[in-house]
Amino acid sequence: QVQLVESGGGLVQAGGSLRLSCTASGLTFSRYTMGWFRQAPGKERVFVASINRSSGSTNYADSVKGRFTISRDNAANGVYLQMNSLKPEDTALYYCNIYKVPYITYDARGLDTMYWWGQGTQVTVSS
């Protein structure tokens, strides 16, 4: 059974930083591409960032480019999201996910059922 556990969320002032972590179990981690999504109150869940299996390729939503960095540690079964220069509009519940098809480039436009999801970690940015 695949499980994802996120951590690292919290309350931070605008301009501050947070580092989110996500640890996976129940699969051969290095075979899969991973991503982060977020969902603000009253809004749909949207793509934030993704990373390929070897960390050689990353993608970001335009809204976070230059401020957020996604990384992974295959030895630790972990994926991370370093968030700098946080803005109030970054306030959301952040989810990590794994694209279920191994060895395939991450598709951020897939149906929810195409990913395994964590439970989310709340990030709140005060102005």
Side-chain angles (χ1 to χ4, degrees), residues 21-109:
S21 299
C22 174
T23 302
S25 60
L27 76 171
T28 303
F29 184 79
S30 61
R31 296 178 180 177
Y32 296 88
T33 54
M34 302 195 68
W36 287 92
F37 275 62
R38 67 186 182 186
Q39 186 169 21
K43 295 187 177 181
E44 293 185 350
R45 188 160 53 185
V46 296
F47 170 76
V48 175
S50 65
I51 188 166
N52 73 352
R53 295 183 298 120
S54 62
S55 302
S57 177
T58 56
N59 284 291
Y60 298 92
D62 287 344
S63 59
V64 306
K65 280 181 182 176
R67 300 188 298 123
F68 290 12
T69 303
I70 188 172
S71 61
R72 66 188 290 165
D73 181 347
N74 287 340
N77 281 17
V79 63
Y80 313 98
L81 188 67
Q82 178 66 43
M83 306 186 296
N84 298 329
S85 302
L86 283 161
K87 305 175 181 179
E89 51 262 45
D90 294 318
T91 294
L93 189 61
Y94 282 72
Y95 299 89
C96 70
N97 68 13
I98 297 176
Y99 191 55
K100 287 183 177 177
V101 182
Y103 305 113
I104 297 296
T105 301
Y106 189 91
D107 182 356
R109 299 164 297 175

